[in-house]
Amino acid sequence: MLTKRLVKFAIPFAVGALALTACSDDGDGGGGDGSTFKIAYQGPLSGDNVQLGVNMVNGVKLAIQEANESGDYDVEFELVEADDGGEPGKATAAAQSAIDAGVIAVVGPAFSGAAEVAAPNYAEAGIAALTPSATRPDLTEKGFATFLRGVPNDAEQGKAISDFFVSEGVTKAVVIDDTGDYAAGLADVAQSHLEEAGVEVVRESVPDDTVDHSGIARTVTESGAEAVAYTGYYAQAGPLAVKLKEAGYEGLALGGDGVKDPQFLSLAGDAAEGWYFSCPCRDLSTDEKGQDFIDRYTAEFDAEPGTYSPEAYDATQMIIEAVAELGDGADAKSVYEALAAGTHEGVAKTLSFTETGEYNGSGIYLYQATGGAITALGNVTDVVGG
Amino acid sequence: MTINDIWDVFVLGMVLGSLYAVIAIGYTLVYGVLQLLNFAHSEVFMAGGFGGLIVLTLVEPVAAPSGVQSVGYVLLGMAGGAALGGTVAYFLEKVAYRPLRRRRAPRLVFLITAIGASFFLYNLAGKIFGRNAVPMPSAYENKRVLTVFGTSLNITQLLILGSAVVMLLGVDYVVNRTKLGSGIRAVAQDPEVASLMGVDIDKVVSRTFVLGGLMGGVAGFLFGTNVQVFPTMGFLPGVTAFAAAVLGGIGNVRGAMLGGLLLGVVEAFTVDLVGDEWRYVGAFAVLVLVLMFRPTGILGERVARAA
């Protein structure tokens, strides 16, 4: 492909240009032959939760492709994939590969555990890490210099889960995490809010490599709880749902944003029916802008956008605009500063950040699996209030 | 914990353990004849899962199958699992291990080859089938059909228990009563003397792999039915089954069965009493304890002695 060849030539050119920014005076004066900037996506592009990574990286790809094809910008953009498998253990290496590739900013890290490990690396390199999905609350409290969160955190989601259960009249609930950072954090918040509201909570931890869920399913049914919340990812939630159904569990079941994925439906089959999902992600099909995004995404990837596809798209677009604004002279530091202070009207929501890099806004949405599809029920506050 | 709870958990443990037992046989048989820790056996198991998945995906089970149809689907799935498991095991021996045996490679080389083969196979599966987990097309409606002492069992659980019993009895019979079995035992006891007595070692070794592969393949299908199918599905059951084989006395077929069931039951009780994150702590604590007092495992080493 022509673009590919162009990019091949552009890389050394861009690297050279970046290295020489200090003494360059931008001699050729622009035109269609501007610099190429690399934007990394760090997240699970392999491993059990690869679907979430694919959702996001496709969002990034779409944003970059549209930017390059639009002709609106003097500069070109290129994607660098940094696969951390969603695992903290691989996060440093993934971050380093992105840093070594000379990226201008990063969309990610996608998962909270990996984000905690990789954020210091990006901070040291002065590269903005704008995560579309890492929702563990304390990530923005650790002073990572360049970390930005483009999504409401789990403190809010945990409360939403609790509010929902309470409004359904639940008196006893089982809260299950997968022992990972994100899941345990969300479960902690949900548990404390539930207990505050006078709901008895049985807390369980099922490691995310568990293959046999018959034990936990028995624990849930024997506990006599009316509701169960699983805060891990769909890869585990699928078989868990199946075993719960087999064990005869008939109460409420809810998964966090890591579960809200069509893959969950395919893994759990009939057992998925009736499951609720909480997610800091808005249903896009309710407005024109969102529907337009769905159409463009579907046309490109032959699949509907998944959880966090629009968030990743928005984050990428925000980076692209910041870079384009700064022009050829953009470097990682100036891009970070532009992002941290900026506001971006995205397809999912308006992105802006507080001083600590926290997403400036709110909104947790409730979904339900009905008839083999995930249906939006609306903002949790509306659902609970109504 | 009431007596009823104990029985409940015990049954869950037996279901889990019977799969471990079937997989453990594959480790133990190969160790018996070659003193080789075939770590790639977990991938033979995984191949079985995909074998069953391929067959059932091609067959496309109808939505609400009748009893006869269900039995047919299950048998087809098992056949698919056994076929792919056996094939992978056959070629694994032929491609990865036989050249090493020819050159009398040191034990360590076999071990590294086994680990390498394991990595190769699950990554290959990931490339071919994708890395997402896939549920097995359901061959039957998984109802609770039988209640034993207050614990009701669903079809999947009965299927796993039933097929494990059949396979374990079958392999016990093959090893102890057939010509292939006496070959396996002879090679296990003393390969040189066995070959002087006219035992074709290559053939025996190859068939041992296939025997373990057939069973591992069926276990893979059963596991896929019970859980789901994915390229790395072999790892944890494989490690646990290997531990089971060591627990029972590696190289000892009946030991592997006993070890598998024991680990399954210990796991189930650990999960129920302490919690899921302690699952392997309980199981492996038992392993360490047993090996402290009986370093050769519960029933002692070697295929030959088990006869």
Side-chain angles (χ1 to χ4, degrees):
Chain A
M1 261 163 69
L2 183 73
T3 46
K4 215 170 188 177
R5 209 171 288 160
L6 224 160
V7 164
K8 249 185 204 164
F9 278 100
I11 298 171
F13 182 80
V15 170
L18 276 176
L20 293 173
T21 26
C23 50
S24 100
D25 58 353
D26 200 25
D28 65 39
D33 200 32
S35 316
T36 294
F37 289 100
K38 294 181 187 174
I39 298 173
Y41 168 74
Q42 182 182 338
L45 296 172
S46 64
D48 291 345
N49 295 299
V50 63
Q51 188 60 48
L52 280 168
V54 171
N55 291 348
M56 287 184 253
V57 82
N58 282 350
V60 177
K61 278 180 189 161
L62 187 64
I64 289 180
Q65 194 181 321
E66 287 179 358
N68 286 342
E69 285 169 4
S70 69
D72 293 348
Y73 306 109
D74 293 337
V75 288
E76 289 264 321
F77 296 93
E78 188 192 336
L79 170 68
V80 172
E81 294 184 359
D83 175 20
D84 63 17
E87 296 171 28
K90 296 179 185 165
T92 304
Q96 198 56 50
S97 74
I99 293 167
D100 290 346
V103 300
I104 192 85
V106 181
V107 177
F111 284 10
S112 294
E116 172 161 23
V117 175
N121 298 65
Y122 289 125
E124 201 175 304
I127 298 171
L130 169 48
T131 181
S133 60
T135 47
R136 201 183 67 197
D138 66 0
L139 286 173
T140 48
E141 292 158 17
K142 302 200 166 186
F144 301 133
T146 58
F147 183 75
L148 298 168
R149 170 149 45 207
V151 65
N153 73 31
D154 289 336
E156 215 182 311
Q157 191 181 169
K159 180 162 185 314
I161 292 172
S162 166
D163 289 349
F164 174 61
F165 279 4
V166 171
S167 78
E168 293 286 314
V170 172
T171 57
K172 185 173 186 182
V174 183
V175 176
I176 308 168
D177 67 63
D178 69 1
T179 73
D181 279 338
Y182 147 74
L186 179 56
D188 284 347
V189 181
Q191 181 179 7
S192 71
H193 281 291
L194 281 166
E195 282 171 349
E196 231 167 76
V199 177
E200 190 187 337
V201 176
V202 179
R203 176 66 179 273
E204 293 287 333
S205 294
V206 180
D208 62 1
D209 56 0
T210 300
V211 289
D212 161 59
H213 291 87
S214 52
I216 183 70
R218 196 185 111 75
T219 309
V220 172
T221 48
E222 292 293 305
S223 73
E226 300 129 350
V228 58
Y230 181 72
T231 61
Y233 296 101
Y234 65 82
Q236 287 285 302
L240 173 67
V242 171
K243 292 293 160 200
L244 278 174
K245 191 182 179 211
E246 281 178 19
Y249 177 73
E250 282 171 348
L252 280 180
L254 178 144
D257 54 318
V259 179
K260 184 197 159 281
D261 190 286
Q263 274 289 319
F264 170 74
L265 302 181
S266 93
L267 287 175
D270 294 346
E273 192 66 19
W275 267 65
Y276 290 92
F277 313 99
S278 60
C279 187
C281 47
R282 195 172 63 85
D283 177 33
L284 292 182
S285 62
T286 53
D287 64 60
E288 217 172 281
K289 199 174 175 188
Q291 188 57 49
D292 186 46
F293 170 76
I294 296 177
D295 294 342
R296 279 179 285 142
Y297 185 101
T298 312
E300 184 64 33
F301 302 108
D302 213 15
E304 292 238 332
T307 299
Y308 293 131
S309 295
E311 282 75 10
Y313 176 85
D314 285 350
T316 314
Q317 234 185 15
M318 188 174 187
I319 292 170
I320 287 172
E321 282 178 6
V323 173
E325 189 98 340
L326 292 160
D328 276 349
D331 61 4
K333 187 166 169 289
S334 57
V335 170
Y336 165 72
E337 282 163 0
L339 290 174
T343 303
H344 173 72
E345 291 261 355
V347 293
K349 55 187 181 297
T350 301
L351 275 177
S352 66
F353 309 97
T354 67
E355 262 173 31
T356 56
E358 186 64 76
Y359 169 66
N360 193 3
S362 69
I364 303 292
Y365 297 83
L366 201 65
Y367 294 80
Q368 189 179 24
T370 45
I374 296 176
T375 320
L377 301 180
N379 193 308
V380 172
T381 45
D382 300 335
V383 175
V384 170
Chain B
M1 220 183 180
T2 65
I3 187 86
N4 225 330
D5 285 334
I6 294 177
W7 172 244
D8 237 25
V9 178
F10 180 77
V11 169
L12 288 182
M14 288 298 278
V15 172
L16 202 57
S18 54
L19 271 188
Y20 290 153
V22 174
I23 309 168
I25 300 273
Y27 285 100
T28 233
L29 278 177
V30 167
Y31 184 85
V33 294
L34 286 182
Q35 275 80 58
L36 161 68
L37 298 176
N38 177 21
F39 280 117
H41 186 60
S42 50
E43 270 50 61
V44 170
F45 166 79
M46 177 269 294
F50 279 103
L53 180 71
I54 292 168
V55 170
L56 283 189
T57 310
L58 290 177
V59 173
E60 283 188 60
V62 295
S66 67
V68 181
Q69 282 174 316
S70 290
V71 172
Y73 293 145
V74 168
L75 289 178
L76 277 173
M78 283 183 171
L84 200 57
T87 311
V88 169
Y90 174 79
F91 283 104
L92 182 66
E93 193 272 331
K94 197 142 197 170
V95 176
Y97 301 135
R98 188 167 294 187
L100 298 180
R101 273 196 300 126
R102 288 270 151 75
R103 293 180 176 75
R104 298 185 180 279
R107 199 73 69 77
L108 199 59
V109 175
F110 277 91
L111 198 63
I112 295 297
T113 306
I115 294 171
S118 167
F119 275 46
F120 172 77
L121 286 171
Y122 79 70
N123 281 301
L124 182 69
K127 274 277 171 233
I128 300 175
F129 302 109
R131 289 170 200 273
N132 274 325
V134 195
M136 189 74 79
S138 48
Y140 47 83
E141 205 185 326
N142 194 15
K143 284 181 294 206
R144 290 154 176 274
V145 281
L146 183 70
T147 303
V148 191
F149 300 123
T151 294
S152 56
L153 289 160
N154 59 41
I155 298 180
T156 306
Q157 291 171 319
L158 284 174
L159 181 66
I160 290 174
L161 283 172
S163 358
V165 168
V166 171
M167 280 191 282
L168 295 178
L169 290 177
V171 77
D172 199 66
Y173 176 82
V174 169
V175 170
N176 290 321
R177 295 287 156 83
T178 64
K179 203 172 161 202
L180 171 63
S182 52
I184 291 176
R185 281 179 288 132
V187 175
Q189 205 163 29
D190 192 330
E192 273 173 45
V193 175
S195 80
L196 289 176
M197 299 299 228
V199 177
D200 183 341
I201 294 190
D202 280 349
K203 212 184 242 172
V204 167
V205 168
S206 177
R207 287 184 182 170
T208 307
F209 267 86
V210 172
L211 181 61
L214 292 175
M215 293 202 311
V218 173
F221 165 71
L222 293 172
F223 178 92
T225 307
N226 191 31
V227 186
Q228 48 196 9
V229 183
F230 49 101
T232 51
M233 68 187 242
F235 181 69
L236 277 172
V239 170
T240 318
F242 172 63
V246 175
L247 181 65
I250 186 126
N252 185 321
V253 173
R254 286 177 189 170
M257 300 177 190
L258 185 67
L261 293 174
L262 187 63
L263 278 193
V265 170
V266 171
E267 247 189 70
F269 276 99
T270 314
V271 168
D272 199 73
L273 295 174
V274 200
D276 236 305
E277 67 267 53
W278 295 91
R279 173 187 294 267
Y280 295 106
V281 179
F284 284 86
V286 169
L287 177 72
V288 171
L289 276 178
V290 169
L291 293 185
M292 267 162 76
F293 296 104
R294 277 194 70 89
T296 53
I298 300 173
L299 295 186
E301 267 177 28
R302 299 193 58 104
V303 171
R305 228 180 283 159

